[in-house]
Amino acid sequence: MSTAQAVEAVFRIESARIIAGVARIVRDVGIAEELAQDALVAALEQWPRTGVPDRPGAWLTATAKNRAVDLVRRRETYARKLAEVGRTLEDAPPPPEPADPDDIDDDLLRLIFTACHPVLATEARIALTLRLMGGLTTAEIARAFLAPEPTVAQRIVRAKRALARAGVPFEVPYGADRDQRLASVLEVIYLVFNEGHSATEGDDLVRPALCEDALRLARVLAGLMPDEPEVHGLAALLEFQASRIATRTGPDGAPVLLADQNRSRWNRMLIHRGVEALRRAGTGPYSVQAAIAGCHAAAVRYEDTDWATIAALYDRLVRLVPSPVVELNRAVAVSMARGPQAALPLVDALAAEPALRSYHLLPSVRGDLLERLGRPAEARAEFERAAALTRNASERALLLGRAARL
């Protein structure tokens, strides 16, 4: 590995901590990111001559913090902060590495709560979180979400401006505000994972890199907030879901249905991590979904799946977060526990839901039920309708294949 590659690798791992530590000084995530980038440039200039330091992350952190202190001292607009913060910083120069790991953890918490502030649109929260916490470049985020790079760049710039304009404090909120913001943080991580797990459009069904980023963020958050059951619930859910990713597509990239997946290839280490996280989970929506995913993970064969328990868990989930999509998933579980005849009225009742009007899984599920009920012509029409609605090429091919076999 070249020195430049080593610098980039260390920065990718440490960038969130560096930005978080600097943001605590300058109180602005945009400026903190620029100073972290300055430290990266300094490393690229110096390390080829001096060699990679023993603690490269600490070197980058100290360099970025020193520049933050210089900035605070120089700028008149930071005069008040100089008075409040600068004296302390002057008396105690930044250590070569964090003296208190818990202090850095607090900084990371502040960073993720800031990046996921409700003042930002969901797309902006996702982009900013991946940039600041995941260390992804603008090009990588654009590629992951199949968006033009200039669009993503503008989204990130506007997000940072919006945070500054709104005067969003660099802090972990408390009370009801914390609950609201934590929900936003969990939602962003879940959305990132879902986009990787089932891409909404494009040729590939799965984007493992996105799943890995979301899983890493969930693990970090679980480590930072060990007393929050729903954080562990989300972590458990993602561990279980991630354990099956390798079997969700075949060698040609075609989707493989859950019933046909080779369970011997499910990642047992991730399942074990999911079970451990589930033990610390609570009773909220992510925890219930994790329990459902845990039921699937526990079944050695598809035929061994405890569908009655899964259907009961979906009953609980519907009460917690009532939505047409959850109702549709519950109908699938009911069909497996009590037969397709019991589930078909539940699916038909969802046909008028505006939220599902363009949702390809509604006709897909209905087609599956009709096929199992021995009504092939109606099932074929439903699969064809589902294929016309999906924007993912792999899913479209799967649905058209099912229609063609009837």
Side-chain angles (χ1 to χ4, degrees):
M1 178 184 291
S2 69
T3 303
Q5 289 172 322
V7 173
E8 291 178 5
V10 171
F11 188 77
R12 180 69 172 260
I13 295 170
E14 299 289 341
S15 62
R17 289 178 181 273
I18 298 169
I19 294 168
V22 174
R24 182 160 55 88
I25 298 172
V26 300
R27 321 297 292 181
D28 185 303
V29 292
I31 294 173
E33 189 189 6
E34 291 174 8
L35 293 171
Q37 292 286 340
D38 285 349
L40 171 65
V41 172
L44 288 169
E45 291 173 347
Q46 294 185 31
W47 291 6
R49 298 195 311 272
T50 61
V52 178
D54 292 338
R55 290 177 293 187
W59 190 98
L60 287 166
T61 300
T63 301
K65 282 189 172 181
N66 283 334
R67 295 184 180 217
V69 173
D70 289 342
L71 178 67
V72 171
R73 284 173 174 155
R74 282 199 313 270
R75 297 180 60 171
E76 291 184 1
T77 53
Y78 283 96
R80 182 177 57 82
K81 292 180 180 177
L82 266 178
E84 297 174 354
V85 182
R87 282 193 294 275
T88 303
L89 295 170
E90 188 174 353
D91 294 337
E97 67 176 342
D100 181 357
D102 290 336
D103 190 35
I104 284 295
D105 288 349
D106 286 346
D107 287 341
L108 279 174
L109 264 183
R110 293 187 188 100
L111 184 61
I112 194 167
F113 271 93
T114 302
C116 294
H117 195 281
V119 74
L120 303 177
T122 300
E123 294 81 4
R125 289 182 219 166
I126 291 172
L128 195 58
T129 300
L130 288 175
R131 177 64 169 266
L132 298 181
M133 294 293 296
L136 272 65
T137 64
T138 303
E140 288 171 327
I141 299 170
R143 190 162 57 247
F145 285 91
L146 304 179
E149 190 172 336
T151 300
V152 173
Q154 279 297 314
R155 195 174 289 164
I156 292 172
V157 169
R158 287 171 183 161
K160 287 187 280 193
R161 286 177 183 165
L163 291 175
R165 192 165 51 246
V168 173
F170 188 67
E171 65 180 15
V172 178
Y174 294 93
D177 190 29
R178 175 168 171 161
D179 292 340
Q180 180 192 12
R181 299 267 292 278
L182 178 59
S184 173
V185 170
L186 299 180
E187 179 191 21
V188 165
I189 295 174
Y190 192 43
L191 286 173
V192 171
F193 185 90
N194 272 347
E195 187 58 31
H197 192 256
S198 298
T200 52
E201 57 185 289
D203 295 332
D204 299 324
L205 178 69
V206 179
R207 296 174 197 161
L210 268 183
C211 293
E212 290 169 10
D213 285 329
L215 185 55
R216 183 163 53 86
L217 289 174
R219 289 172 179 167
V220 168
L221 198 61
L224 295 174
M225 307 184 76
D227 298 326
E228 290 287 349
E230 269 301 84
V231 174
H232 293 291
L234 177 66
L237 173 59
L238 301 196
E239 298 280 8
F240 285 132
Q241 299 281 44
S243 73
R244 307 200 298 258
I245 284 178
T247 62
R248 294 198 70 233
T249 54
D252 58 352
V256 179
L257 298 177
L258 181 63
D260 301 324
Q261 291 177 9
N262 181 354
R263 297 185 176 220
S264 67
R265 292 181 58 219
W266 285 4
N267 189 315
R268 308 312 299 182
M269 183 193 72
L270 295 182
I271 290 174
H272 175 73
R273 291 182 65 100
V275 171
E276 290 299 311
L278 189 56
R279 288 184 178 139
R280 306 180 69 181
T283 56
Y286 293 112
S287 299
V288 174
Q289 290 178 79
I292 293 170
C295 284
H296 288 297
V300 177
R301 302 176 307 158
Y302 182 75
E303 296 77 13
D304 299 332
T305 307
D306 185 354
W307 289 108
T309 296
I310 291 175
L313 287 167
Y314 268 115
D315 287 343
R316 191 187 306 174
L317 190 61
V318 165
R319 289 194 293 274
L320 288 170
V321 283
S323 82
V325 173
V326 176
E327 293 274 11
L328 183 62
N329 291 334
R330 173 175 168 267
V332 173
V334 168
S335 80
M336 299 306 298
R338 294 159 45 195
Q341 190 64 55
L344 189 58
L346 302 177
V347 174
D348 287 345
L350 295 170
E353 285 286 346
L356 298 183
R357 194 165 295 154
S358 302
Y359 191 51
H360 69 285
L361 291 183
L362 178 63
S364 174
V365 169
R366 194 166 190 275
D368 182 72
L369 298 180
L370 290 168
E371 181 181 5
R372 290 162 59 193
L373 286 169
R375 295 159 63 177
E378 295 169 86
R380 182 169 55 249
E382 292 292 347
F383 286 135
E384 289 173 347
R385 191 159 71 92
L389 289 174
T390 184
R391 291 181 290 168
N392 185 279
S394 296
E395 281 195 314
R396 187 180 306 115
L398 173 71
L399 291 163
L400 290 175
R402 293 192 71 178
R405 286 194 293 273
L406 292 170

